[in-house]
Amino acid sequence: MSFFNDQSDSTEPMDSRQVQQVALEKISYMHGFAKTSTPATIIAPLLCIPLFDSVDLGSNFHIWLGMMVVAVMVRIFLIRSIRLDDNAATNFAKLNWAVGIVTSVWGLGWLMLVPGMDPVNYLIYQVISLTVLFVGMVGYCVHWKTFFSFALPLKITELLFIIIHSQFIIWPIAIGSLVNFYLALKMGFFFSKSWEKSMALRFKNEKLFDQLVQEKNVSVAANIAKSEFIATASHDLRQPMQAINIFVELLNLNNLKEVEKSIFQKMRCSITVLNKMFNTLLDISKLDSKMDTAYATFELDAMLDDLIPSFQQLAAEKKLDLRFDHEHFMIHGDANLLSQLLINLLSNALQYTTSGSVKVNFSNDQGKLVLTVSDTGCGIPEEDLPFIYKEFFRSQRSRPQHDGLGLGLSIVSRILHRTGGSVSVETEKDKGTVFTVHTHFDITGMAADSTPQLDPDTQAPLTSAKESPDSLHLGILENDSALMYAYLEFFVSQGYVVHPIPHEEAEFKHALMTIPKLDFILSDYRLGDKDGIYFIEQLREEFNQAIPACIVTADTAPQHLTLFKQLDIEVLYKPMDIASIAKFVGNRIG
C-alpha cells in the first residue's frame, strides 16, 4: 500500500495566500514544539551514559556521544535561526535538517552501539528508538515531509542493522518495530493531509462568514434606508394631506348638487383611506426608530373607551355584530402599544368580514394578558400564511376588493417582538380567522369599584373629606384595623383627604392607581412580609418626589434610627397619642 494514496474530497483548492498562511501555521507550531523539546534532546543522550556504562562498547560509545553533542548544537543553532517572517521554504529546510541530524545520530547507534550489547540492552535501545519516534510524531506530523525527515534517519539504520545481523536479532521485536515504523509514517502522512483539509475548510467557512456579514450589512443598510424613506415620505406627504383634510371639512354639502355630493362623499372616503395609510406608515416609522416602551399601570376599560366608539360605527356601517368580552383588568404594560395591537387586528377583522360578527376577548393566562380577535370573514389562504406578517404583503385573493398597504400584521409582529409577546392564527376558508396574542403585560388586579369603601362594622365611609384644591392628602399604612379606623376618623375630621394604603403587594400596586397625590406618608414599621421603609420608597418612586414620611413603631433598635435618617424618614415611637401624631404631621407638611 502506498503512503500517498490520498482520498479525493470536495474541498476547494486554496489560493496562494491561503497556502502561505497554512505554511506559516505549520512552521509556527513545529518551531514551537522544537524549542520546547530542546531540553529533552539534551537530557536523553546524557541518560545513556549511566545506562550503558557497564557495557563494554569500546571507543564507539564516546565517538557516538561526541557526534550527538555536535548534532544537538547544530540543531539548537538551526532552530534559533528560524524566523517566522522568513521564506517558508527556507524555514522548512532549516527545521528538517535540525530534526533530522539528531535522529541520524540516534540511528547510527544501531550500527555503532547495539552490535556490542546483550539482549537486555538491545531491548532498552529499541524502547528508546520507539519513544523518540512517537514523541517526534506528536510534534512534526502536521507536515509529513518534516516528520519523514525526522523518522527516516532513525529507522533506516535499524533496518540496515536487521539485514546485517539477521542471524542474531530477536525477530518478533524487530518485526514489531518495523510495523510500528510503517504505521507511524502512514499516520503522519494522513494526519498532515487531514490538517491541511481542516485548514481549507476553515478558510472556506471564514469566506462564507465574510459573505454573510456583507449580506447582513447590505440588508441592514437597506432596511435603514427604507425606514428613513418611510419616515420622510410619511412626514412630507402628511403636510399637504392635512391641508386637504381641512379644506374638505370647510366645504358645505348643502351648497352642492346631488351629483356633486355623491362625488364629494366618494372623495372623502378616499381621503379617509389615505389618512389610515399615513397613520400606518407613521406607526411603522415609530417602531423602526426603536422608541422606548412606556410601561405603566392602566385600566383596560379606559383604553377601550377611547377605541370602541369608532369601531362600533364601522361595524354598524357593515351591519356586523361587534362584541367585546373582558374583565375590568388593571394592566402593567405599554397602553399605546396594546392599543396599536388591537387597532390593527380589529381593522383587519372588520375589513375582511362582510357578514356575521367580530369578537374581541381579553383573558388572563397565568397573570399575563391574552388578546383574541375572531371574525367570520373570508379566512386566509393556506399558501399565504407564511407571509402574512411581512410588510407590504397583500394576498392576491383579497387585493382587488380591499385597500391598504399590507402593514397591519407587520406592525403586530414588530410590537410583539419588542415586548416579548407572541401571536398565533387559526383560519378556515370562508368561515373566519382567529388571532390569539399572548402578551408579556402583567394583569396586576381589577379596576377599583366606584362604590364607596365602607367599614365592615359601621358601614361608614373610610374616607369622607371632600377634596378641594387646598386639601392635604395623607397616605396611611397600618395593619391594625382598629388603629387604621382611628387614624381615618381623626384625620378626616381634621380636613385631610386620607388614603388607606394596603400592605399586600398586589393590592398595594392597585391602590397606587387611585391616589392622585400624597403630601405625607404615615406608616407602621412591621407590615407582614415587607416593612414600612419598602412601601415608603415605592410610593416616593411612583410619585417621583421625596414625599415627607414618618414611621410610627414600637421597635427601638438603634440600627433602625441610622437607616431612617439615611432615607430621610422621621420616626415616632409607640405609644403616642394621636393628637401628638397629628401635630407632628401638620408641622412637617406646614
Side-chain angles (χ1 to χ4, degrees):
M1 182 185 292
S2 169
F3 292 122
F4 304 97
N5 287 338
D6 192 13
Q7 297 179 351
S8 62
D9 62 84
S10 59
T11 304
E12 296 179 2
M14 293 182 286
D15 57 34
S16 58
R17 182 188 61 83
Q18 292 171 341
V19 170
Q20 291 176 0
Q21 187 172 345
V22 169
L24 178 61
E25 296 206 17
K26 281 186 175 183
I27 198 67
S28 177
Y29 172 78
M30 293 189 296
H31 183 238
F33 180 84
K35 289 195 295 184
T36 57
S37 61
T38 296
T41 305
I42 297 172
I43 293 172
L46 295 177
L47 292 177
C48 291
I49 297 176
L51 191 61
F52 300 126
D53 184 54
S54 60
V55 182
D56 185 13
L57 299 175
S59 61
N60 282 356
F61 181 71
H62 296 93
I63 296 172
W64 177 87
L65 195 59
M67 294 172 62
M68 182 61 76
V69 170
V70 174
V72 170
M73 292 177 65
V74 173
R75 179 189 185 277
I76 293 174
F77 171 77
L78 290 172
I79 294 298
R80 290 175 63 88
S81 68
I82 293 176
R83 299 289 181 270
L84 296 181
D85 53 354
D86 287 348
N87 180 268
T90 302
N91 284 333
F92 277 124
K94 289 180 180 179
L95 185 62
N96 293 348
W97 277 102
V99 300
I101 195 169
V102 174
T103 54
S104 296
V105 179
W106 281 108
L108 287 173
W110 285 103
L111 302 177
M112 298 176 64
L113 306 179
V114 176
M117 294 179 178
D118 56 30
V120 173
N121 288 307
Y122 161 68
L123 288 174
I124 291 174
Y125 200 83
Q126 183 70 265
V127 171
I128 292 174
S129 177
L130 290 173
T131 301
V132 171
L133 175 66
F134 284 103
V135 169
M137 186 170 67
V138 171
Y140 307 118
C141 62
V142 297
H143 187 59
W144 68 268
K145 292 182 180 179
T146 300
F147 179 63
F148 279 30
S149 299
F150 176 88
L152 289 176
L154 178 66
K155 303 301 285 185
I156 289 297
T157 48
E158 180 185 356
L159 179 60
L160 183 60
F161 166 78
I162 292 172
I163 294 172
I164 296 174
H165 302 282
S166 58
Q167 67 275 26
F168 302 113
I169 65 168
I170 303 174
W171 277 103
I173 295 173
I175 292 174
S177 175
L178 293 176
V179 170
N180 284 334
F181 175 49
Y182 168 79
L183 293 176
L185 291 178
K186 184 164 184 159
M187 289 173 62
F189 173 76
F190 283 114
F191 185 87
S192 174
K193 291 298 182 182
S194 297
W195 194 86
E196 290 178 0
K197 291 176 183 177
S198 69
M199 289 293 295
L201 286 174
R202 193 187 86 180
F203 293 140
K204 184 177 180 180
N205 289 338
E206 289 176 351
K207 183 178 180 181
L208 289 174
F209 179 78
D210 290 340
Q211 291 176 349
L212 287 174
V213 169
Q214 291 176 1
E215 291 175 2
K216 178 185 176 183
N217 291 338
V218 170
S219 176
V220 169
N223 194 50
I224 292 173
K226 176 211 68 180
S227 300
E228 291 178 348
F229 169 76
I230 290 175
T232 303
S234 175
H235 175 270
D236 292 346
L237 292 175
R238 286 171 70 88
Q239 292 294 95
M241 275 305 303
Q242 178 64 19
I244 292 174
N245 287 326
I246 295 173
F247 292 143
V248 166
E249 293 300 323
L250 291 176
L251 287 174
N252 189 344
L253 295 184
N254 295 326
N255 296 330
L256 299 178
K257 298 177 182 178
E258 289 300 320
V259 175
E260 293 172 339
K261 284 183 181 180
S262 175
I263 295 173
F264 178 77
Q265 292 291 359
K266 292 178 182 178
M267 183 178 68
R268 175 173 282 178
C269 290
S270 298
I271 291 173
T272 301
V273 171
L274 279 175
N275 286 332
K276 289 180 180 180
M277 289 183 178
F278 283 125
N279 288 331
T280 302
L281 286 173
L282 184 60
D283 290 340
I284 283 284
S285 177
K286 289 179 179 178
L287 290 171
D288 282 344
S289 67
K290 303 188 183 300
M291 294 173 61
D292 292 336
T293 52
Y295 276 70
T297 303
F298 61 92
E299 292 186 20
L300 179 61
D301 288 352
M303 186 203 79
L304 293 177
D305 287 344
D306 296 333
L307 296 179
I308 289 177
S310 59
F311 284 109
Q312 284 180 331
Q313 182 179 352
L314 180 59
E317 291 175 358
K318 300 186 71 172
K319 298 181 179 179
L320 299 176
D321 181 16
L322 177 60
R323 301 178 187 176
F324 289 83
D325 181 17
H326 63 93
E327 300 291 338
H328 305 294
F329 292 135
M330 296 295 299
I331 311 296
H332 184 74
D334 190 315
N336 180 55
L337 293 182
L338 180 60
S339 175
Q340 284 185 273
L341 279 174
L342 179 58
I343 288 172
N344 284 284
L345 289 174
L346 196 49
S347 296
N348 264 20
L350 291 171
Q351 182 175 16
Y352 295 105
T353 303
T354 56
S355 63
S357 64
V358 175
K359 298 178 181 179
V360 179
N361 175 265
F362 289 93
S363 58
N364 186 341
D365 182 13
Q366 299 181 352
K368 304 294 184 182
L369 182 69
V370 177
L371 164 63
T372 303
V373 178
S374 57
D375 63 59
T376 57
C378 60
I380 303 173
E382 184 176 355
E383 64 271 18
D384 289 342
L385 286 175
F387 311 105
I388 59 175
Y389 301 109
K390 293 183 178 296
E391 57 192 30
F392 303 112
F393 174 79
R394 295 177 61 205
S395 174
Q396 293 298 327
R397 174 181 170 186
S398 61
R399 184 184 293 269
Q401 289 82 29
H402 303 284
D403 297 313
L405 294 174
L407 289 174
L409 293 179
S410 176
I411 292 174
V412 169
S413 177
R414 288 167 188 247
I415 292 173
L416 293 175
H417 177 73
R418 172 172 295 190
T419 58
S422 62
V423 60
S424 59
V425 58
E426 297 178 9
T427 185
E428 189 173 352
K429 184 179 179 181
D430 297 325
K431 290 190 176 181
T433 302
V434 179
F435 281 95
T436 303
V437 175
H438 289 263
T439 75
H440 268 212
F441 296 162
D442 295 320
I443 297 177
T444 59
M446 305 299 289
D449 195 341
S450 60
T451 58
Q453 186 178 1
L454 302 178
D455 180 83
D457 297 323
T458 66
Q459 296 298 300
L462 292 180
T463 58
S464 59
K466 293 184 178 180
E467 185 175 355
S468 69
D470 298 327
S471 298
L472 297 175
H473 290 249
L474 175 64
I476 300 180
L477 291 116
E478 176 58 63
N479 57 359
D480 185 310
S481 58
L483 184 54
M484 172 65 86
Y485 190 78
Y487 278 147
L488 289 171
E489 285 288 320
F490 182 84
F491 283 106
V492 167
S493 69
Q494 297 297 310
Y496 289 88
V497 176
V498 182
H499 303 279
I501 303 173
H503 58 274
E504 297 295 333
E505 189 76 6
E507 296 175 4
F508 172 77
K509 291 182 177 178
H510 173 254
L512 292 181
M513 303 305 300
T514 65
I515 302 174
K517 69 172 184 173
L518 283 177
D519 297 299
F520 196 91
I521 303 168
L522 191 65
S523 174
D524 193 3
Y525 180 67
R526 299 190 181 278
L527 296 167
D529 295 335
K530 305 289 186 181
D531 57 33
I533 292 176
Y534 170 81
F535 290 106
I536 290 171
E537 290 296 291
Q538 290 291 309
L539 288 167
R540 286 174 170 176
E541 182 176 344
E542 177 68 23
F543 288 92
N544 195 27
Q545 66 181 86
I547 304 170
C550 175
I551 285 181
V552 182
T553 180
D555 191 333
T556 58
Q559 63 268 26
H560 292 157
L561 285 174
T562 304
L563 182 58
F564 295 152
K565 185 175 181 181
Q566 290 174 348
L567 298 174
D568 195 23
I569 297 173
E570 302 282 356
V571 60
L572 296 175
Y573 291 101
K574 297 176 182 178
M576 174 174 276
D577 62 273
I578 198 164
S580 298
I581 296 175
K583 183 178 179 180
F584 180 88
V585 171
N587 291 336
R588 293 302 180 274
I589 297 179

